[in-house]
Amino acid sequence: MATDEAVQSTNDDASECKMSAVRLGYWDDRFVHILVRGTERKPPEINRGYFARTEGVGIFVRRFLKMAGEKCQIISFGAGYDTLYWRLKEQHYKFDNFTEIDFPTVTARKCYAIKRSKVLLDGLGASDGEVRLSSTELHGGNYHLVGADLRNLGEVATKLRESEVNYDLPTLFLAECVLVYIEAASIENLLSWLVQQFHTSLFVNYEQVNMCDRFGEIMLENLRARGCPLSGVDSCRSLETQTKRFIDSNWDGARAWTMIDVYSAIDPAERHRIEEIEMLDERELLIQLFQHYCIVIAWKGELFNSITLSDYDE
């Protein structure tokens, strides 16, 4: 496993990149500044890449909510300082349960920020008496923030039970650059356990891909230099290895797309809008970045087996 502290620092980097893009108007998020203090402006290719990441994952989140109906739940692994819960509530989406799991050191900081913010607390839709807080965990309304190590299935199961997760409801699992930091055996155990426990589910995974070429090697070298060797990189060799990870763990099916295809699937008017925000000098770098990240979906049950990238209809 990569050094836990180094992996946790990638959450800070990603959060600051999202903050940079939001400040420039790539997408609306009036909550991120409460959780993230970064003010550094990132390069245009990074801002556009994070827009593609956020919007790409959003395509499948919205599709899931549309197909599952209001009696559903979302479980976000390695959620960090993500604000998806509040953004979905603001857009009037309905769901029974939203649970975020991360290292306790990360959830502790998020808990501290939430309890100090009237906006975030009000967004939970719970009265003061209905919010249960500890130093690392928070339960309020249908939102649950818990600290756990994904390598420890017993701990994960306990935290899901404490979060009132219902194994019989349609469930969306989210992971963004999380699985890649964990050894393959631990991820196989996690994915196999999830598919056994949840009868109808969709997994959306944003992660590296095509890591065997020179550009991928440079990405690996940079992460190793920070103390973050990618323990699960074998699944990131190609789109085929990405989907195979789920199929080998007994999911019913899986599909994957590079971010080249994901970006092309985003509404043309929205793409045009964000491309006008700032000039892009390093277009080739953006293309290379898009070629080395992907979105993978996997499903259990028949409800979500027809989801494809062409379903963008927002």
Side-chain angles (χ1 to χ4, degrees):
M1 175 67 183
T3 305
D4 289 352
E5 292 79 9
V7 172
Q8 292 165 46
S9 74
T10 64
N11 164 62
D12 297 339
D13 293 343
S15 299
E16 289 172 8
C17 288
K18 289 179 179 178
M19 183 68 177
S20 170
V22 167
R23 288 167 73 97
L24 290 169
Y26 278 85
W27 71 92
D28 292 328
D29 186 342
R30 69 184 185 92
F31 309 104
V32 66
H33 75 277
I34 302 171
L35 298 170
V36 183
R37 298 301 181 193
T39 58
E40 178 187 353
R41 179 169 176 160
K42 303 298 182 181
E45 61 272 11
I46 298 299
N47 292 323
R48 198 174 296 188
Y50 270 85
F51 163 79
R53 169 179 173 169
T54 301
E55 183 59 21
V57 171
I59 290 173
F60 293 106
V61 172
R62 293 189 295 267
R63 190 63 178 170
F64 166 84
L65 291 169
K66 184 175 181 179
M67 297 178 74
E70 295 184 8
K71 297 291 290 183
C72 68
Q73 56 198 3
I74 297 174
I75 299 174
S76 181
F77 296 123
Y81 304 147
D82 192 54
T83 61
L84 179 62
Y85 172 82
W86 290 274
R87 287 184 282 124
L88 289 175
K89 290 287 290 289
E90 188 174 54
Q91 295 163 24
H92 306 295
Y93 284 103
K94 306 289 186 183
F95 41 84
D96 265 18
N97 182 301
F98 194 110
T99 297
E100 296 182 339
I101 302 177
D102 212 321
F103 285 112
T105 50
V106 175
T107 61
R109 287 188 284 170
K110 193 168 189 175
C111 281
Y112 181 74
I114 293 172
K115 73 180 182 181
R116 289 170 55 90
S117 168
K118 186 177 187 304
V119 170
L120 296 183
L121 283 174
D122 287 351
L124 301 178
S127 64
D128 290 343
E130 293 175 322
V131 176
R132 291 180 287 125
L133 255 172
S134 71
S135 60
T136 61
E137 302 189 355
L138 184 151
H139 302 273
N142 61 354
Y143 175 76
H144 306 271
L145 173 63
V146 293
D149 187 332
L150 296 180
R151 295 165 293 186
N152 185 333
L153 288 183
E155 188 175 42
V156 171
T158 296
K159 296 304 180 182
L160 292 181
R161 184 170 62 251
E162 292 173 358
S163 301
E164 303 173 356
V165 164
N166 183 339
Y167 292 103
D168 295 322
L169 287 183
T171 303
L172 172 64
F173 300 104
L174 297 175
E176 297 183 32
C177 294
V178 173
L179 307 186
V180 69
Y181 292 114
I182 306 174
E183 297 92 339
S186 294
I187 289 304
E188 183 178 354
N189 290 339
L190 174 65
L191 295 179
S192 297
W193 183 80
L194 292 174
V195 86
Q196 291 167 13
Q197 301 297 321
F198 293 85
H199 308 303
T200 302
S201 56
L202 178 71
F203 201 114
V204 176
N205 182 40
Y206 171 87
E207 201 165 59
Q208 294 89 343
V209 75
N210 296 325
M211 295 299 283
C212 294
D213 63 14
R214 181 57 189 148
F215 191 86
E217 289 174 2
I218 293 172
M219 290 171 63
L220 282 171
E221 290 168 5
N222 290 338
L223 284 162
R224 288 191 189 107
R226 297 179 51 188
C228 291
L230 301 186
S231 303
V233 74
D234 282 351
S235 293
C236 301
R237 294 197 303 269
S238 66
L239 293 178
E240 289 72 27
T241 58
Q242 280 282 4
T243 55
K244 185 175 185 294
R245 173 163 58 186
F246 288 93
I247 300 302
D248 288 351
S249 299
N250 296 316
W251 289 70
D252 290 345
R255 299 186 181 98
W257 304 266
T258 70
M259 293 306 293
I260 292 278
D261 294 324
V262 173
Y263 188 72
S264 297
I266 294 171
D267 178 32
E270 185 66 357
R271 289 204 313 270
H272 177 74
R273 181 189 68 79
I274 67 102
E275 287 170 2
E276 294 292 307
I277 292 175
E278 53 185 343
M279 292 289 294
L280 186 67
D281 295 329
E282 298 287 346
R283 186 166 191 84
E284 182 59 33
L285 176 57
L286 179 67
I287 292 172
Q288 287 184 310
L289 287 169
F290 279 172
Q291 289 170 338
H292 289 84
Y293 283 91
C294 67
I295 289 180
V296 189
I297 65 168
W299 59 88
K300 168 71 181 296
E302 297 183 359
L303 182 57
F304 305 115
N305 66 5
S306 63
I307 290 184
T308 68
L309 187 56
S310 61
D311 283 326
Y312 188 93
D313 59 358
E314 299 301 315

